[in-house]
Structure formats: structure tokens, C-alpha cells
Amino acid sequence: MNARIRRFLGRDGGAVLPLTAVFLVVALGVMALAIDLGRVFLVKSELQRAADAAALAGALGLVTPPGGLPGLTTMSPNCGRATALAQAVFTSNHADGLLLSMVNGTISLGIWNSGTGVFTDTGCAVPALVNAVQAVAQKTISLYFGGIITGSPTMPLSAQALVLVGSVGSVP
């Protein structure tokens, strides 16, 4: 082998700088991904919490008997109270550091068909048939670094909760 080639191949000084630069780029990419994914999972869980709480509050408002009446009381579902309670609970929750508004969610009253496993939003057309409350929370968040990978600087997130209402033995 030529002496010049042996001298060139035998030198390994200065190899640390390019390796450090490559490692630094990779480490920054992993850190950016962790920051964005952590934020996505946090906001998604906050939206799920708000939807769960709103659906439960709506279900309680739907079947809670009026106060002050002793003994057994015949009652029918109160759709207005259910919707108002669900909205009040929904708007008292935070997601991404801000209070949620009804722009970020919907409350639906309707019928859950246990045979098909489908919820149908009927509003309160026939209050006696209403047996479920559904809450949907949604929010679009901005990504810090994910836009570089996905091509979009924002990501829409949503969560849904459905609560069935009924007496023992009548709810699937």
C-alpha cells in the first residue's frame, strides 16, 4: 500500500465532531417528539375527563327526582336539567391550560340500543325513551415541533363519553 494512503487511513483525529453533530440532531429530534407527544396525551386525557364528567352530570340531572317530596315519586326524565348540568360541568374543566367552552363540546341526549350498540341522538323528542347522555369534547392544539414531521402545525383531538341511564336490571 502506498505510504500516503496508509497515513490518511491511519489518522482518526477529528472524528468526534461529526459524530457529536449527528448525535445532537438525533437527540433534539427525540426530545421534540417527546415534548409534542407528552402534550398530546395530556390534552387528550383532559378532554376525556371533561367528557366523562359532563356525561355523568347529565345522566344524574336526567333522573334526579325533585327535592322535598317524601316517599315514592313518579318522575319523567328532565332533559333541560340534564343538559344544563352537563354543560355547567363541562365548562368548569380545563384542557391545555384553558377553561373549556361549549364551542369545544357537545352534549347529546338520546337512545342507546343495546342490541346494535348504537347511540341515536334524539334530543328530547320523547323524554320517556331517553336512556343515554353523550358528551363529546374536542380541541385543536398547536404542535411545537411536530409540524416538521407531520407537515401540519396543529392536531385535532377529541374524546367521547356515553352514560346509560336506567334502573337496576333495565340497563345493559
Side-chain angles (χ1 to χ4, degrees), residues 92-171:
S92 67
N93 279 280
H94 289 81
D96 202 20
L98 300 170
L99 270 174
L100 290 170
S101 69
M102 287 315 296
V103 170
N104 303 107
T106 57
I107 307 298
S108 303
L109 303 173
I111 300 168
W112 170 261
N113 185 329
S114 60
T116 61
V118 174
F119 172 78
T120 304
D121 181 2
T122 61
C124 214
V126 183
L129 295 179
V130 172
N131 70 348
V133 178
Q134 181 183 49
V136 178
Q138 51 200 8
K139 187 168 180 71
T140 300
I141 63 168
S142 56
L143 301 173
Y144 297 118
F145 307 102
I148 298 169
I149 297 169
T150 64
S152 173
T154 61
M155 179 178 222
L157 298 174
S158 68
Q160 174 182 328
L162 180 73
V163 176
L164 302 178
V165 179
S167 60
V168 175
S170 67
V171 174

